[in-house]
Amino acid sequence: MKKKIILIALFLGAVSLVFSQKKRITYKLIENLSYTDVYEGEKDDYMNERCKLDIYYPENQKDFATVVWFHGGGLTGGEKSIPNDLKNKGNAVVAVNYRLHPKVKNPVYIEDAAASVVWVFRNIEKYGGNNTKIFVAGHSAGGYLASMVGLDKSYLAKYGIDANSIAGLIPFSGHTITHMTVRKENGVGNKQPVVDKFAPLFHVRADAPPLVLITGDREIEMLGRYEENAYMYRMMKVVGHEETSLYEMPGFDHGTMTWPASHIMQKHIKQILKSKQN
């Protein structure tokens, strides 16, 4: 009887060890990969300096999803980094640098964002990822870029990619009106709203990828950021887009909302991927 108990215990221990080994995911970080090869023609020094990305991916997994992440900074500053809240989730994260005002002007930073997404579509399978599971996200100015690339189909179409191939758009506290820096370049103050072709709101459409809008608390967010996202939510619904969600993070301001927002993003990634399987 004792021998049987010992054998059962050993068997269960072995099964548990195998199971834990299968579940253990290891990640690799590769930094400063250039995406300038997407662009044709000559590259200047500033393009070569800024048009780079980092990729953090589960090196012992296959068929994983990828989040393309654009940093904030008002289109005038900021640096790529892999947010800690997005690590160890089973996904790849691609953190992107793009050229900045005043060295460049609109729409160069949108074009850079699009080029980096094209690079991911073309290359993620080399790292084990699945290019039908690419999500585009970012915070503040990065959220604006994510929305522009995913809603204005022209930026990706020039490279032969349908923006609807993006699995989901998840902007954190992004402008849905024309970005304040774009307005500044045109002599418009940051408190004067504009909706033109450089506003995600201009490109509302029923056939867009799933859209998850997340902001901080409306009372402490930046310059009515919740309200413009709420209007974006309503107009997407009006045009017939069924997969738009809106979240407000009570008690969190523009800068601190990224932590709770990252959990909402992960939930939606899982839901969207599950719906693709059905």
Side-chain angles (χ1 to χ4, degrees), residues 150-163:
L151 293 173
D152 183 345
K153 299 182 75 174
S154 67
Y155 290 101
L156 294 180
K158 66 192 286 187
Y159 298 102
I161 293 176
D162 185 348

Side-chain angles (χ1 to χ4, degrees), residues 62-219:
K62 298 292 182 185
D63 200 43
F64 49 78
T66 300
V67 176
V68 181
W69 179 260
F70 299 118
H71 66 79
L75 303 177
T76 64
E79 289 291 331
K80 61 179 169 59
S81 64
I82 308 294
N84 286 330
D85 294 329
L86 304 188
K87 292 180 178 178
N88 302 310
K89 299 294 189 296
N91 308 321
V93 183
V94 177
V96 180
N97 265 357
Y98 46 89
R99 286 172 286 177
L100 301 167
H101 172 97
K103 289 189 175 181
V104 299
K105 292 189 177 180
N106 184 59
V108 171
Y109 22 72
I110 306 173
E111 293 167 347
D112 282 354
S116 71
V117 172
V118 171
W119 186 95
V120 174
F121 268 98
R122 292 179 180 176
N123 291 278
I124 197 61
E125 290 184 344
K126 298 175 186 176
Y127 300 90
N130 185 328
N131 66 9
T132 70
K133 300 178 180 179
I134 295 172
F135 295 81
V136 182
H139 176 239
S140 195
Y144 167 77
L145 293 175
S147 296
M148 284 300 299
V149 169
L151 293 173
D152 183 345
K153 299 182 75 174
S154 67
Y155 290 101
L156 294 180
K158 66 192 286 187
Y159 298 102
I161 293 176
D162 185 348
N164 290 355
S165 300
I166 295 170
L169 303 170
I170 313 178
F172 290 16
S173 289
H175 266 311
T176 70
I177 61 174
T178 301
H179 193 279
M180 64 178 72
T181 295
V182 179
R183 284 178 274 151
K184 178 182 177 181
E185 291 174 358
N186 291 303
V188 179
N190 66 3
K191 295 178 183 176
Q192 180 65 50
V194 172
V195 176
D196 58 18
K197 70 177 183 177
F198 297 111
L201 260 168
F202 189 83
H203 302 282
V204 295
R205 52 191 178 85
D207 65 335
L211 175 62
V212 184
L213 301 163
I214 315 172
T215 77
D217 189 319
R218 71 188 75 185
E219 298 301 329

Side-chain angles (χ1 to χ4, degrees), residues 45-63:
D45 289 343
Y46 188 49
M47 178 186 278
N48 290 329
E49 173 195 342
R50 285 293 300 183
C51 293
K52 292 183 178 179
L53 54 81
D54 299 342
I55 176 169
Y56 167 90
Y57 67 100
E59 61 180 341
N60 60 344
Q61 302 291 306
K62 298 292 182 185
D63 200 43

Side-chain angles (χ1 to χ4, degrees), residues 139-140 173 216 220-222 252-260:
H139 176 239
S140 195
S173 289
I220 51 178
E221 252 289 5
M222 180 183 289
F252 291 90
D253 63 17
H254 184 72
T256 59
M257 60 75 63
T258 58
W259 171 69

Side-chain angles (χ1 to χ4, degrees), residues 8 73 78 160 178 200 239 241 249:
I8 291 170
T178 301
V239 298
H241 190 269
M249 304 289 98

